[in-house]
Amino acid sequence: MGNPEFVAATHGSGTIVVCVKPNSSKNGVLGYSSEKKAWMIAVKAAAEKDAANKELLRFLKKLTGKQFLIKNGLRSKEKVLVSTSSFPSSQRTPLNQ
C-alpha cells in the first residue's frame, strides 16, 4: 500500500516517527496518528530477531526511494527514523546499512 501523503511527508524531512504493526498480512502505510504523532506502518515480518525492523527499512526504501536508519526504538514499536542523507555514516549500524 503506497501512501502519497507519507511520501510527501518524508520528502525533505530528515526525521520521521513511525509506529510499527508487525505480523500484518501485507506491508503498508496505515495512516497518521495525531494522538501518537507518528505514521502507522504495517509490516509482514514478525517482531523477532530484528526481522520487523529490517522489513520496515526495506519497505520504506522501496516506497520513498530513501534509505532510513533507526535512531531510537530498536526494541519498540515506536521508532524514530532518520534519512541517511542527514545521518553520519560513522554512526550507521550493520542492521541499518
Side-chain angles (χ1 to χ4, degrees):
M1 274 187 269
N3 186 310
E5 293 171 353
F6 176 78
V7 174
T10 63
H11 182 72
S13 174
T15 303
I16 60 169
V17 179
V18 299
C19 187
V20 179
K21 181 182 175 194
N23 298 318
S24 297
S25 60
K26 59 184 175 179
N27 294 336
V29 178
L30 303 176
Y32 184 79
S33 169
S34 298
E35 182 180 311
K36 293 186 178 191
K37 296 183 175 143
W39 287 94
M40 308 304 285
I41 309 277
V43 295
K44 292 188 285 187
E48 297 174 355
K49 299 181 183 177
D50 290 325
N53 288 335
K54 290 176 183 177
E55 184 73 21
L56 171 67
L57 296 175
R58 276 192 295 269
F59 171 68
L60 293 179
K61 183 171 184 177
K62 182 178 179 183
L63 181 65
T64 66
K66 289 183 169 185
Q67 184 72 41
F68 287 93
L69 303 173
I70 299 173
K71 183 177 179 185
N72 292 335
L74 274 174
R75 303 277 180 241
S76 172
K77 289 183 180 183
E78 291 187 25
K79 301 175 186 308
V80 177
L81 306 178
V82 180
S83 172
T84 57
S85 61
S86 60
F87 202 71
S89 61
S90 63
Q91 295 182 7
R92 296 180 189 166
T93 64
L95 170 65
N96 297 321
Q97 289 184 342

